[in-house]
Amino acid sequence: MTGLLVVTAVPAEAEAVRTGLTDPTATVVPVGVGPALAGAATARLLALAEAAGRPYGGVVSAGVAGGFAGRVAVGGTVLAGRSLAADLGAESPEGFVPVDELGMSPEMLGGTIAVDADPALLATLRSALPEAVVGTVLTVSTVTGTAASTRALAERHPDAVAEAMEGYGVAVAATQAGLPFVELRTISNPIGPRDRGAWRLREALAALGTAATALDALRTGTR
């Protein structure tokens, strides 16, 4: 076992994680943006490690995210109780219909559109990060950018605290490999109309480095 595989989207997130994570058995890899790329890259990394006889013991999706106003503050830390594919489905006159409500069998869906965090890993991080907000983290392929779409998404997912673009893809790869998974995010901006001037990316990356210190506690929790 080679410890944790920590997957981020971009190099800046990976560098932030490395500033806080000291576990020498952990590997931090930026794999790209979006659920498809993140999932494929994570699956390849897991397969290569297993083939080399050095399988990982757990997988973490880490990075910055947008947060739902009133549910988590900019600069705050989020732990995903589950990672959910929020825009996998179909439009209808009545609104968005999740893919698991379209009459497809579980086999056609590959299981579920939401992956729960591993209870042991989540509990360990909650203990190490008592100020973190726990809730559903949505995975989207298109970042929410209007007040109307933000309102609709918040109403559809009342337990959601943040949205990002990779968690569900990474979670599926980990689940397919039979490995425990958890998602850790820090908030750079409120979800809604895009205002790059209001983003606090530097602060969110600094917060990610601080939160990443908690990942050392997972070393004994991986298998």
Side-chain angles (χ1 to χ4, degrees):
M1 182 175 68
T2 57
L4 286 175
L5 173 62
V6 184
V7 176
T8 72
V10 298
E13 293 169 322
E15 287 303 314
V17 170
R18 293 187 187 111
T19 65
L21 177 61
T22 62
D23 179 1
T25 70
T27 303
V28 185
V29 185
V31 297
V33 176
L37 181 55
T42 301
R44 181 174 185 273
L45 290 167
L46 295 177
L48 288 173
E50 185 173 358
R54 298 188 298 274
Y56 289 103
V59 182
V60 180
S61 177
V64 301
F68 284 97
R71 300 181 185 178
V72 61
V74 172
T77 298
V78 162
L79 296 171
R82 60 176 186 158
S83 302
L84 186 147
D87 53 11
L88 187 60
E91 291 185 332
S92 77
E94 292 74 34
F96 180 81
V97 182
V99 70
D100 57 355
E101 296 180 12
L102 294 176
M104 299 181 186
S105 67
E107 292 76 16
M108 294 174 66
L109 297 176
T112 177
I113 63 168
V115 177
D116 291 337
D118 177 79
L121 298 189
L122 181 60
T124 299
L125 287 183
R126 291 187 73 168
S127 178
L129 298 168
E131 301 302 317
V133 178
V134 181
T136 295
V137 174
L138 307 180
T139 298
V140 297
S141 295
T142 301
V143 173
T144 305
T146 69
S149 57
T150 300
R151 186 165 51 252
L153 199 62
E155 291 174 354
R156 194 160 71 240
H157 301 287
D159 60 344
V161 293
E163 73 168 20
M165 303 183 78
E166 294 80 32
Y168 176 75
V170 178
V172 169
T175 300
Q176 291 289 320
L179 293 175
F181 164 83
V182 70
E183 183 172 1
L184 166 68
R185 298 279 174 179
T186 54
I187 304 303
S188 61
N189 59 279
I191 298 170
R194 290 173 62 80
D195 178 8
R196 292 297 296 268
W199 286 19
R200 297 293 179 263
L201 185 57
R202 182 176 300 178
E203 291 88 340
L205 289 171
L208 182 61
T210 299
T213 61
L215 297 178
D216 284 329
L218 297 183
R219 184 175 182 181
T220 58
T222 56
R223 57 179 184 263

